[in-house]
């Protein structure tokens, strides 16, 4: 849980809010977490420690904490794939959302990746139960770690809320339709191929009234890589809009007026934006790889994420074929109800209390 919203952090908050037994539960968070964070409004005993998200310093601080504290914990639960290196508990439950850092090694410098993998391996070895968010991730975890331990799926979901009339984003030309992508600019999100597909669409179909809107935190010199692709065509550049960090209100505005949502990732452990788009009745296009196809079922158009022609043609179909668009929206309205935070929280609470 950090000051900046993340998928894993949001998952933790949604589960914690719904746990019925909050007594005698200590939540360990970083002392850098803002006191305005929603977790401080929940009825838990919050312990703010000088710990970072990953690294030996974090493990040393946790060791010091568990060594010095007089209270004896019997159950340890982590919303991340970590366990204290030098302590064991009667019951140790960890959460592995996905193996993105392992499959796409550019996420971290080699030394951090080495320590990260070391941590996960020892956490898996010590765990009595492992939580994950999709059947795809479950298979991935069992295969990679060669573990026979029970891996239980408690999926992500989306908050049901009133879809009020959100204004059209003032930063986007109202006279143009736009394709929306939401996600961090990491290599596995496949944003560069998405941009190439958009450029191909504009050139082949002569579609001047379309924009590509990218919403998400930038990583790995992503802006520089994007600029290298679009610098050859100034006309294209003005129709690719990039927004780094946005508020929830702004994000909902982008969803509410999008003509199509696309997530052509090379790898996902789940893909919450897929369900968010469905809530706003936006037709969805996504990758035929990993967990995305599991999440959408038949409620999205599936594409080969390595084939920019396939991506381009699929975008064109959804934008200009009303029958396909209406069918995807209808199926999305059904599909989004399959995922429920109350159901996932009950699964986790049962595991903790068992």
């Amino acid at each position: 849980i950090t000051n900046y919203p993340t998928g894993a952090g949001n998952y933790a908050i949604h589960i914690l809010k719904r746990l019925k037994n909050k007594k005698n539960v200590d939540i360990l968070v970083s002392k850098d977490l803002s006191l305005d964070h929603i977790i401080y409004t929940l009825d838990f005993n919050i312990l703010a420690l000088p710990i970072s998200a990953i690294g030996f310093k974090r493990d040393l601080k946790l060791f010091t904490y568990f060594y010095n504290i007089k209270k004896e914990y019997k159950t340890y639960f982590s919303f991340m794939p970590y366990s204290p290196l030098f302590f064991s508990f009667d019951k140790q439950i960890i959460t592995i959302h996905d193996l993105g850092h392992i499959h796409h090694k550019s996420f971290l410098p080699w030394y951090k990746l080495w320590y990260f993998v070391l941590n996960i391996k020892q956490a898996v070895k010590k765990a009595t139960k492992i939580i994950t968010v999709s059947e795809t991730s479950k298979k991935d975890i069992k295969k990679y770690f060669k573990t026979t331990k029970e891996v239980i799926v408690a999926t992500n979901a989306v908050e049901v809320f009133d879809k009020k009339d959100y204004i059209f984003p003032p930063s986007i030309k109202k006279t143009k339709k736009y394709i929306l992508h939401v996600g961090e600019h990491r290599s596995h999100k496949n944003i560069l191929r998405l941009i190439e597909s958009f450029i191909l669409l504009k050139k082949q179909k002569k579609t001047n009234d379309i924009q590509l809107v990218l919403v998400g935190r930038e990583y790995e010199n992503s802006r520089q890589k994007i600029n290298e692709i679009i610098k050859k065509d100034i006309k294209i550049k003005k129709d690719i809009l990039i927004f780094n960090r946005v508020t929830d209100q702004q994000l909902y505005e982008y969803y509410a007026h999008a003509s199509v949502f696309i997530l052509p990732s090379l790898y996902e452990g789940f893909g919450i934006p897929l369900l968010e788009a469905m809530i706003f009745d936006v037709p969805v296009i996504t990758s035929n790889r990993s967990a995305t196809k599991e999440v959408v079922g038949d409620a999205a158009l599936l594409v080969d994420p390595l084939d920019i022609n396939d991506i381009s043609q699929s975008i064109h179909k959804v934008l200009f074929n009303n029958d396909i668009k209406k069918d995807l929206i209808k199926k999305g309205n059904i599909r989004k109800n399959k995922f429920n935070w109350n159901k996932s929280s009950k699964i986790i609470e049962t595991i903790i209390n068992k």
Side-chain angles (χ1 to χ4, degrees):
I1 297 174
T2 65
N3 291 314
Y4 182 77
T6 64
N10 289 337
Y11 181 88
I13 292 299
H14 281 297
I15 297 300
L16 289 172
K17 284 197 302 185
R18 290 165 173 81
L19 292 183
K20 294 179 181 178
N21 183 18
K22 294 182 172 67
K23 293 182 179 180
N24 300 319
V25 176
D26 292 343
I27 305 292
L28 306 184
V29 301
S30 170
K31 71 173 185 178
D32 295 328
L33 191 66
S34 170
L35 293 177
D36 295 327
H37 196 282
I38 189 173
I39 197 167
Y40 283 101
T41 67
L42 305 181
D43 195 19
F44 292 102
N45 181 30
I46 308 297
L47 302 175
L49 304 177
I51 52 176
S52 56
I54 186 174
F56 182 73
K57 288 183 179 180
R58 178 206 61 192
D59 292 308
L60 191 58
K61 293 289 184 181
L62 284 176
F63 169 77
T64 303
Y65 170 75
F66 287 120
Y67 182 81
N68 292 328
I69 195 169
K70 295 179 181 179
K71 185 174 181 179
E72 183 179 346
Y73 294 108
K74 292 188 178 299
T75 301
Y76 170 89
F77 182 97
S78 175
F79 283 104
M80 294 297 283
Y82 310 136
S83 289
L85 281 179
F86 310 111
F87 274 90
S88 294
F89 305 84
D90 292 345
K91 188 187 295 182
Q92 292 192 203
I93 307 160
I94 62 169
T95 310
I96 304 178
H97 293 267
D98 58 61
L99 299 183
H101 287 76
I102 294 172
H103 291 306
H104 294 270
K105 294 180 172 58
S106 62
F107 277 18
L108 296 169
W110 70 267
Y111 54 94
K112 286 188 176 181
L113 178 63
W114 174 82
Y115 195 77
F116 178 81
V117 173
L118 177 69
N119 265 251
I120 298 182
K121 285 183 176 180
Q122 71 87 25
V124 168
K125 187 176 181 180
K126 293 164 66 174
T128 51
K129 289 283 190 297
I130 300 169
I131 306 292
T132 193
V133 294
S134 67
E135 291 293 335
T136 302
S137 286
K138 176 179 177 177
K139 292 176 183 177
D140 212 11
I141 291 163
K142 280 186 164 291
K143 181 179 178 181
Y144 182 82
F145 294 107
K146 297 179 175 61
T147 182
T148 57
K149 292 186 178 181
E150 187 177 9
V151 180
I152 300 158
V153 176
T155 68
N156 279 296
V158 283
E159 193 84 80
V160 177
F161 57 89
D162 182 27
K163 289 187 295 182
K164 59 184 179 181
D165 293 329
Y166 288 97
I167 65 169
F168 195 93
S171 50
I172 300 175
K173 289 184 179 179
K174 203 169 184 177
T175 55
K176 294 189 176 186
K177 299 177 181 179
Y178 65 89
I179 304 154
L180 177 65
H181 176 278
V182 175
E184 296 176 335
H185 293 194
R186 293 184 183 269
S187 58
H188 72 290
K189 295 293 184 180
N190 206 27
I191 289 175
L192 298 183
R193 284 195 186 88
L194 173 57
I195 292 173
E196 290 174 345
S197 302
F198 176 71
I199 294 172
L200 186 64
L201 174 68
K202 298 274 283 185
K203 289 182 176 179
Q204 288 186 345
K205 305 297 182 181
K206 309 296 183 183
T207 49
N208 295 319
D209 62 338
I210 300 172
Q211 293 175 300
L212 175 62
V213 175
L214 305 175
V215 178
R217 191 177 176 186
E218 296 179 34
Y219 279 94
E220 304 165 0
N221 298 318
S222 57
R223 183 66 69 106
Q224 181 182 343
K225 294 176 182 178
I226 290 171
N227 286 337
E228 287 176 2
I229 293 177
I230 63 179
K231 67 182 179 181
K232 300 175 184 178
D233 195 325
I234 298 177
K235 293 180 181 179
I236 294 289
K237 185 176 182 179
K238 65 182 176 58
D239 284 329
I240 298 176
L241 307 179
I242 303 172
F243 303 100
N244 192 350
R245 296 189 178 187
V246 299
T247 64
D248 285 346
Q249 173 73 20
Q250 292 171 322
L251 179 61
Y252 297 153
E253 289 170 3
Y254 290 126
Y255 275 124
H257 297 278
S259 295
V260 59
F261 176 81
I262 184 164
L263 190 71
S265 305
L266 300 173
Y267 179 87
E268 291 285 347
F270 191 85
I272 290 179
L274 298 167
L275 300 182
E276 290 175 334
M278 291 176 185
I279 279 187
F280 284 93
D281 297 330
V282 181
V284 171
I285 299 172
T286 192
S287 169
N288 61 9
R289 294 185 176 195
S290 63
T292 53
K293 60 181 180 180
E294 174 190 338
V295 172
V296 299
D298 66 347
L301 215 56
L302 299 180
V303 297
D304 179 352
L306 299 177
D307 187 344
I308 64 171
N309 284 290
D310 190 19
I311 299 172
S312 177
Q313 290 170 14
S314 296
I315 293 172
H316 188 266
K317 281 180 187 177
V318 178
L319 283 175
F320 298 104
N321 189 315
N322 283 329
D323 290 337
I324 292 177
K325 186 173 184 176
K326 289 178 182 177
D327 183 56
L328 291 176
I329 292 172
K330 181 181 178 180
K331 289 177 177 176
N333 276 317
I334 297 171
R335 188 68 182 176
K336 68 189 179 188
N337 295 322
K338 177 180 173 61
F339 304 92
N340 186 285
W341 283 123
N342 290 328
K343 180 180 177 182
S344 292
S345 66
K346 285 179 182 177
I347 292 171
I348 290 177
E349 189 153 35
T350 298
I351 294 168
I352 293 173
N353 296 330
K354 195 172 180 179

